[in-house]
Structures are given as C-alpha cells and as structure tokens.
C-alpha cells in the first residue's frame, strides 16, 4: 500500500460521461477515461482494509486492494495479472458492472466516496491490451471435448476456463453473432462491440471453436462431447396482457434494442420491420436497467419525448435503511440515459392500451398504493381509482424476463448464468460460468 493517507487528501474523481449534447448524437460509448496519472491517484485512495468488503461484495472475488496497490505503484502488468486471476473479462465488467464492490467499499461508509474500483479495472485491462501484456496462451490438451451452448458472458467464461484446463471447447450459438446480451441487449453506448470481438479473437487463437447460427435442441444434445455447459440465458421477456396488446407499435424492449445493435453492425431492415423512435412519443413500461437502455436508444433515434413508468414506488434517494452498507443499496438510480432526457413516473399500473387505426396512441394507467406487509413480506398493491392517459405512439415493454424451464438434462450437463438463476448481471454470469467450468472439470476427472 503506497500512500496510506491518500483517501484523506484525494477526492474521488470519476471520469464522467461525454456531454449530453455530444453523446446523444451517436451510439459511441458515453463514458470517458482519466489519464494514467489521475488513475493512479485514484487507486492510491484504497486503504487496503483488513477486511476488504469490496472483495466480499464481488461475485468473482476480485481483489481490489491488491490490484490497486500495483496500479498506484505504476506496475500495470502486475495489476493486470492480479485482476485476470479472478475475472476472465474485466473489459466487460469494467464498463458495465453496477460495481457491487464500490457500494461495499469502506470509503463509501465513511465518506460516501468509494474507490473508483470499476474504472480502475477498465483502465488496467485496456492498458494490458494496449501494452501487449495479453498474448494468446497455449494449453496442453487432455483429449476431452466439452460443448458450451449459448455465448453470453456465462458461456464465454465457462469456455475460457475449460479451454485453459485443456478441454477441446466448442461454443454453439443460435444467433449470427457471438456474445449473447453483451452483443444484442446492451447498447453500444454502454459497450462498444469491437471490445467483444477483441476478446473473441484471443479465445479463438487459444483454440476455442465458435459456431454461430447453431441452435441446439436441449432435448437432444449433440453427440461426441464428454460434457455440456448450458448457458442459454433468459430469452422470454415478461409480457403485459392487457386490452389493446395486439395494437401495432407495442414491442418488447429486446426487439428494439437488438435491432438497433444489428443496424449498427451494418444490417438493414425494411421500413416495416424497423422499430424506430424517430418523431415519436415513447413510453417505456418498466423502471429497470433494460428500460433505461430503451430511453438512451430512443433519444438517439430522435424521439419527441420519452416517459418511463414503473409499477413499484419510487425508491429512496441517497440511502435506504432497509439495505444498509455493506449491502447493495436499493435506491433511486439515475443512469446516463436518464440524464439525457426522460420523464420518470412511479406507482403506475397499466390498465389498457388505446389505439387509432390499429396503432397504439396511448396507455391508460392507474395510480396504485403499496401497503407495507407487517410481516416484512412484499407490500400489497392497492388500486386508487385515479386514472389518466399517457400519450404514446411507441411502447416498449421492459418488465423483466421469465426464468426458463429447462428440459431434464443428462448428468454430464451443467447449467450456468441467467439460465440457472433467472435474469441477473454480467459479473454474476461470469462467476457462474467459471464455477460450472470447475464443476465440469471435477466431474470429468472423477
Ligand atoms: C437490455 C439489457 C441490458 C443489460 N445491461 C446490463 C448491464 O449494464 N450490466 C450488467 O451487469 N448486466 C446487464 N444486463 C444483464 C446481462 O446482460 C445478463 O445477465 C447476461 O448477459 C446473461 O448472460 P448469460 O450468458 O447467462 O446469457 P445471455 O447473455 O442471455 O446469452 C445466452 C445466449 O444463448 C443463446 N442461446 C439460447 N438458446 C440457445 C440454444 N438452444 N442453442 C444455442 N444458443 C442458444 C442466445 O442466443 C444467447 O446468445 C442487461 C440485460 C439486458 C437485457
Ligand atoms: S473496501 Fe475500499 S478502501 Fe477498503 S480495500 Fe476495498 S477498495 Fe480499498
């Protein structure tokens, strides 16, 4: 630990986002970077706590005190080596992780200014690629074959770990590109897609085979493999079965987000196929992160207005006594997309879609109240009778995903990522893929 008192004199400095007027004109990444001197100063703020809660909070068990100490000392290669011991893809989590570690950082508790762990992680991995610390490795083969089904973060982490343990790995992906929701869910303004390609290139050089346009029937797994890792995600979005659902102009969030990413990858769509917010009043139903991505995408497409509604009440601002430190706080989140312009409303239940000429023109909503359950369970929703109509000519449904029901699988098949847990986070999926790789390795060695 280089400077034990740095946290007393150096304030937290975030790189921040590009200015709104600039960033909404394109789909480039919104987040900026610090120079390497400023970055090292940020790393110096780490107190190397006796009990590092950042480490406790990270699903991957990342070791922030160790890699930040190396970073502060200017030992970028050493920082990379520490980071890559626990995280296969810091270039993804360094960009899009909600940073559970930072919410649990002791400096969050003591002064509300946690160490910039996520940004430090991104800086380390980018330096590692730039400086050529990362070279394709070669791993002795053990003669066994594993099929990974699904190429999101869980499948990629499992494949990476299995390949390094000597297994011959084939990744099967039903879509035309590798990456799962990294590729087709998460907008480019949060994760630039060449970042995924750079990692895939390395994985291919290390011997992993990727097969796109290859949907696997989970009832009939392909022959010739010693084990399988099923990482098929949560493909089914939650629907809203209210009157008027059949009207045109109502889409699942993923239909719009995936299409926009495909357009940016060079694919073309007819006017009828294209889902665009240009010149429209957009209503996003669902107050979570997917909804937030719809807002950012709609504004970039040229929406006239964007409104996001949520059935649950507005979360507390700042702190929430129900989720005290070091827990992840359930508080109001304002994303870069929210900053770019949208109205946000809470405690609104959607009653029916209204239409004109077969196309949606608005949504009737009703205010609801949430009565706390004295037993500590989920609060009870009570309609208030106060109804209103929100104007909308494009409605995006962002109400989460259903946990999939997988068919019975043979004992040499292991499930990881969202397919195992329900919709989650990239960092949890990488951790789950790594764990599944370990389980497969143990199974095949026994
Ligand atoms: C819009 C959106 C934004 C998000 N933003 C963030 C964020 O900012 N930060 C964060 O941490 N998390 C975010 N998440 C969550 C995160 O993306 C997911 O938790 C994570 O990608 C799930 O990883 P996975 O590997 O389990 O599955 P997925 O990423 O869903 O990948 C599963 C893959 O399996 C393929 N597949 C399915 N069935 C088959 C089959 N039978 N044969 C072959 N292939 C098949 C699918 O085509 C898909 O490519 C976001 C999610 C969404 C929807
Ligand atoms: S909790 Fe914060 S200050 Fe303590 S070791 Fe982790 S990153 Fe450093």
């Amino acid at each position: 630990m280089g400077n034990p008192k740095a946290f007393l004199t150096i304030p937290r400095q975030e790189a921040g986002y590009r200015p709104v007027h600039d960033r909404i004109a394109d789909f480039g990444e919104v987040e900026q970077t610090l120079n390497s001197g400023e970055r090292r100063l940020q790393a110096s703020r780490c107190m190397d706590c006796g009990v590092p809660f950042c480490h406790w909070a990270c699903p991957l068990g990342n070791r922030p005190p160790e890699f930040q100490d190396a970073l502060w000392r200017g030992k970028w290669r050493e920082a990379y080596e520490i980071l890559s011991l626990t995280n296969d893809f810091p270039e993804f989590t360094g960009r899009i992780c909600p940073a559970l570690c930072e919410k649990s950082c002791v400096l969050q508790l003591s002064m509300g200014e946690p160490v910039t762990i996520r940004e430090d992680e991104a800086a380390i991995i980018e330096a590692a690629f730039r400086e050529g610390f990362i070279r394709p490795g070669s791993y002795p083969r053990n003669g066994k074959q594993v099929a990974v089904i699904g190429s999101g973060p869980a499948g990629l982490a499992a494949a990476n770990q299995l390949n390094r343990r000597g297994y011959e790995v084939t990744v099967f992906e039903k879509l035309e590109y590798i990456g799962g929701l990294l590729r087709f869910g998460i907008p480019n303004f949060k994760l630039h897609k060449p970042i995924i390609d750079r990692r895939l290139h390395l994985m291919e050089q290390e011997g992993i085979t990727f097969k796109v346009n290859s949907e696997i029937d989970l009832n009939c797994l392909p022959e010739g493999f010693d084990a399988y890792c099923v990482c098929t995600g949560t493909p089914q979005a939650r629907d809203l079965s209210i009157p008027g659902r059949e009207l045109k102009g109502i889409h699942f969030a993923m239909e719009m987000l995936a299409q926009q990413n495909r357009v940016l990858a060079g694919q073309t769509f007819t006017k009828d196929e294209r889902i665009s917010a240009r010149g429209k009043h957009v209503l996003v139903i669902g107050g979570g992160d997917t909804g937030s991505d719809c807002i950012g995408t709609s504004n970039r497409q040229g929406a006239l207005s964007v409104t996001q509604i949520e059935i649950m009440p507005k979360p507390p601002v700042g702190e929430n006594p129900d989720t005290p430190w070091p827990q992840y706080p359930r508080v109001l989140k304002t994303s870069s997309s929210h900053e770019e312009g949208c109205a946000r409303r809470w405690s609104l239940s959607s009653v029916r879609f209204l239409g004109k000429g077969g196309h949606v023109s608005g949504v009737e909503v009703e205010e609801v109240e949430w009565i706390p359950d004295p037993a500590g369970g989920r609060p009870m929703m009570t309609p208030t009778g106060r109804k209103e109509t929100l104007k909308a000519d494009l409605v995006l449904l962002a109400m989460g995903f259903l946990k999939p029901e997988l068919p019975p699988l043979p004992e040499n098949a292991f499930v990881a990522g969202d397919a195992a847990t329900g919709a989650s986070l990239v960092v949890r999926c990488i951790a789950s893929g790594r764990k599944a790789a370990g389980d497969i390795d143990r199974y095949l060695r026994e």
Side-chain angles (χ1 to χ4, degrees), residues 45-49 51-55 64-65 68 101 104-107 114-115 117:
R45 296 182 68 242
C46 174
M47 302 187 294
D48 191 14
C49 300
V51 181
F53 282 88
C54 51
H55 166 77
Q68 274 160 157
C101 52
S104 301
C105 175
V106 176
L107 289 179
V115 177
I117 307 171

Side-chain angles (χ1 to χ4, degrees), residues 96-98 149-155 172-175 177 179-182 185-187 190 214-218 231-235 254 257 289-290 293 401 416-419 423-427 429:
I96 52 160
C97 190
I149 302 158
S151 70
F172 294 94
E173 168 55 55
K174 77 172 172 192
L175 300 177
Y177 280 109
L181 289 173
L182 296 170
I186 297 173
K190 280 165 60 180
S214 303
E215 180 163 8
I216 300 298
D217 179 355
L218 296 183
C231 307
T232 44
T234 50
M254 277 300 298
L257 295 174
D289 293 341
T290 302
D293 290 342
F401 298 85
D418 282 3
S424 176
L425 292 173
V426 168
V427 67
C429 291

